[in-house]
Amino acid sequence: MPAPSRRRRALIAGLLLSIHLGVHADLDQPLDQDTARALLNRFGYGANRASLDATTGQSLRQYLERALHAPSRQPETIRQQIAGFASATPVETLWADFGPGGVVRQDARTTRMADGVARNESEIRGRQILEQAATARLLESANSDNPGHEVLLNFWLNHFSIHGLKTLNKFLMADYTRHLQQALHEDTFLALLRASFFHPAMQLYLDNAQSTAPESPFAQRASARGKTLGLNENLARELLELHTLGIDSGYTQADIQALARIISGAGIVNPQLPPAGRGAQGSVQRGLFFFNPLRHDFSAKTLLGKPYPAGRGIEEIEAALVQLAGHPATARHIAGKLARRFLADAPPPALVERMAAGFLRSGGKISATLLPLLDSREFADSLRQPSKFKEPVDYLLSVARAACFDQPVGNGPLLWRTAQDLGQAPFMRTTPDGYGSQESDWLSPPAMAKRIRLAQLAGSGQAPLAAPRDAEAPQRCRSDLAALRQAVGPLPETARQALAGLNPAEEGAALLASPAFMRR
């Protein structure tokens, strides 16, 4: 056998090197239209004309890079609609009006609502602003020219979940979203963890704004007035259980208590705080976040075996977040959640381990965690045969995008009401674990009946999903069976046979209610 040529030897060496490094050509292979459509269903909210045209020809690597680093733009009609919401008001203005000591918050006037409950003006306005923040999130997700970005942002908003109805958070959710969006562009888990922790919405939601070290000057002064203050472990517990290590990672109650002591003193800007607290040595303000050293525990601690010397303030909070973000258990926990969201309810353990290894090697980069998933045989197979059951908002937005196809999805109130009815409205999860992403969380006869009704309305052109010409006249998306077929994509032969003979309205409804469209 003749010796291989120099060129052939170089090709063989390159192939062996690519195998050794785990690099597959699929990551950089331009996507055909069917694969682009499947990717938009898996790593987006379904195909419309613009996203299908833009994604066809991209590679998986380019799609992920764009999702992480490119801006998210909306059609002008949607941008103007969102800009007009009260939730778009600068958060400092909302805080001055509705925060502690705010002028509206102190107004004692009440209004009796339709449900018979009397609420003061601050509560009424807060619920309106929260609804607008959630509506804006749905409109942005439905219309963005960067759907991968919206899916990742919503994933992290759900991972660091906050209930918007908790106290003052009604006024903070749009700002919380902006902070996580900015952190997402940094492409590290630590940036996202810090953005969540140092936002007043998280401090309020998990009661850390009230957590006070018992031996602190603040607690001692309160005790002299007959009031007892102490540590609150809620945020410390969820930082370990949900945000970083995971519930089965081996941390102990002693670690929860140590972390609660480390993060004591973290809270919110409060104009009603005594001047000594606002100007105390070591106090730190970042936006509406405030670290009060008079409430902090300055004693020595040990967290997960790492000693924290006495006498440190906010710098030990920063150190603890770095420690938690870089822990191997955090890598496995985050890799597992990403794999369950973007691949399967029970992802292969070996793949999760490869993703976790990418997380650790890169210092917690989101891209390095996701690339092994996108580069895997399992991901490629799943795009050809989607099996992941769509969560309610995935289904709602994919129906809206398919029905409107080349028109903006602009009826925000309809999206909000439908998301509520389906059980997955933004910022409305009452518990900090966030909404589930598995089929067992969402598949039930009542839920399917709601989906089928939505499919019937949207598929027949009866749902007023398009951008309204004015507030009183929501528009229906033009019913276009060819566009629906293009959005849904190729169907199995049995499905094509079942559609034969249906009129356009019936076929449109059947396409959106089909088992194939229920999965991503």
Side-chain angles (χ1 to χ4, degrees), residues 41-360:
N41 266 298
R42 174 65 56 78
F43 214 112
Y45 290 111
N48 60 12
R49 188 183 303 280
S51 65
L52 193 56
D53 289 347
T55 307
T56 302
Q58 281 191 48
S59 69
L60 287 170
R61 192 190 305 276
Q62 290 170 328
Y63 189 87
L64 178 60
E65 285 294 310
R66 187 165 170 8
L68 286 166
H69 300 298
S72 177
R73 297 185 178 91
Q74 313 295 327
E76 183 60 20
T77 56
I78 303 301
R79 191 195 66 77
Q80 290 182 2
Q81 185 180 165
I82 294 171
F85 289 167
S87 58
T89 304
V91 70
E92 294 80 9
T93 301
L94 292 175
W95 199 249
D97 288 342
F98 300 103
V103 294
V104 178
R105 185 171 176 79
Q106 301 310 307
D107 191 335
R109 289 180 301 170
T110 62
T111 301
R112 188 162 294 278
M113 308 302 288
D115 58 8
V117 177
R119 296 193 177 96
N120 64 30
E121 184 67 17
S122 177
E123 178 70 12
I124 295 169
R125 292 288 291 134
R127 287 173 178 262
Q128 292 169 344
I129 289 170
L130 173 61
E131 179 178 328
Q132 289 177 344
T135 300
R137 185 86 290 272
L138 292 167
L139 286 170
E140 289 164 347
S141 300
N143 292 284
S144 172
D145 68 345
N146 191 354
H149 173 81
E150 301 302 332
V151 168
L152 279 177
L153 177 55
N154 288 335
F155 172 88
W156 292 112
L157 284 168
N158 192 58
H159 179 76
F160 299 108
S161 182
I162 288 177
H163 186 211
L165 286 175
K166 177 73 177 281
T167 63
L168 299 177
N169 278 347
K170 295 180 282 291
F171 309 102
L172 297 173
M173 297 317 300
D175 189 68
Y176 184 67
T177 300
R178 285 190 287 269
H179 274 71
L180 261 67
Q181 185 171 42
Q182 291 165 3
L184 179 59
H185 289 309
E186 296 186 41
D187 188 19
T188 69
F189 176 73
L190 177 60
L192 290 157
L193 179 64
R194 294 183 74 256
S196 171
F197 178 88
F198 287 115
H199 198 278
M202 184 61 76
Q203 295 293 323
L204 286 167
Y205 176 47
L206 292 176
D207 304 311
N208 202 66
Q210 289 80 42
S211 184
T212 303
E215 302 303 320
S216 66
F218 201 89
Q220 294 302 308
R221 291 171 189 167
S223 178
R225 299 192 304 269
K227 185 177 181 180
T228 301
L229 298 178
L231 293 173
N232 187 296
E233 296 178 359
N234 287 352
L235 180 52
R237 180 178 294 103
E238 305 310 349
L239 275 169
L240 295 170
E241 178 179 327
L242 299 176
H243 298 171
T244 60
L245 307 184
I247 192 169
D248 297 322
S249 57
Y251 65 86
T252 67
Q253 178 61 25
D255 291 314
I256 295 173
Q257 292 169 342
L259 185 55
R261 291 163 58 201
I262 288 171
I263 66 176
S264 61
I268 62 173
V269 169
N270 186 350
Q272 296 177 319
L273 191 70
R278 295 200 297 272
Q281 183 178 2
S283 63
V284 176
Q285 182 174 340
R286 300 175 182 172
L288 298 180
F289 170 88
F290 183 69
F291 173 75
N292 185 354
L294 300 182
R295 291 176 37 232
H296 182 64
D297 184 333
F298 281 93
S299 65
K301 305 105 175 166
T302 300
L303 174 64
L304 301 168
K306 176 183 176 180
Y308 282 71
R312 302 171 73 194
I314 195 170
E315 62 269 23
E316 72 176 0
I317 297 179
E318 297 276 11
L321 296 180
V322 170
Q323 179 188 3
L324 295 176
H327 198 283
T330 299
R332 290 190 294 272
H333 181 53
I334 298 304
K337 283 196 72 170
L338 286 167
R340 286 190 294 276
R341 176 63 178 83
F342 292 110
L343 180 63
D345 287 357
L351 174 58
V352 174
E353 286 299 321
R354 294 201 301 275
M355 295 171 66
F359 182 105
L360 291 172

